[in-house]
Amino acid sequence: MNRILKFRAWSNVSKMMLSWDQIKPLSMVNLNIHKIYEYMQFTGLVDKNGKEIYEGDIVETESGSCYPVVFEDGGFNCFMNDWEDYKIIGNIYSNPEFLNQ
């Protein structure tokens, strides 16, 4: 299976989500030492609105339950299987309150 590897990053300094184009000129090795950025990988999937799903996103099911997208046991998991029914409502850095619903 071939898929494009894409990343984004949460800036712990500016408290903003950055695209790969914004962070790729920087040295990831040096930045990881200082934990300036939290890197998240694209899952290769899109939500029901066609928006790319990344690790760290929070998705909502049709029943209204909210789950974080995590990488564990060698794959992306969201505690459900019907990815095409999900809607991204935020991410774990900007919107942690969605996980308490």
Side-chain angles (χ1 to χ4, degrees):
M1 179 170 127
N2 292 330
R3 69 178 176 94
I4 297 172
L5 292 178
K6 296 199 284 188
F7 295 85
R8 68 178 185 192
W10 173 257
S11 170
N12 288 317
V13 175
S14 66
K15 305 296 184 205
M16 293 177 55
M17 192 66 71
L18 304 173
S19 70
W20 178 248
D21 289 334
Q22 293 171 299
I23 60 173
K24 71 181 175 183
L26 306 173
S27 169
M28 293 174 69
V29 174
N30 291 335
L31 294 175
N32 276 336
I33 292 171
H34 303 292
K35 295 301 282 179
I36 293 172
Y37 294 118
E38 302 291 338
Y39 296 99
M40 292 158 275
Q41 186 175 355
F42 174 51
T43 64
L45 303 168
V46 295
D47 73 358
K48 67 181 186 179
N49 297 317
K51 189 172 177 184
E52 294 178 341
I53 301 174
Y54 282 81
E55 176 182 14
D57 279 336
I58 299 172
V59 294
E60 182 179 50
T61 64
E62 291 198 355
S63 67
S65 298
C66 299
Y67 300 97
V69 177
V70 297
F71 187 84
E72 63 184 11
D73 298 327
F76 293 100
N77 189 358
C78 192
F79 311 105
M80 304 278 289
N81 293 324
D82 299 323
W83 290 95
E84 64 275 0
D85 294 332
Y86 293 166
K87 176 175 78 172
I88 297 171
I89 59 168
N91 65 72
I92 61 173
Y93 300 102
S94 299
N95 314 100
E97 67 276 6
F98 292 147
L99 295 176
N100 297 325
Q101 295 181 1

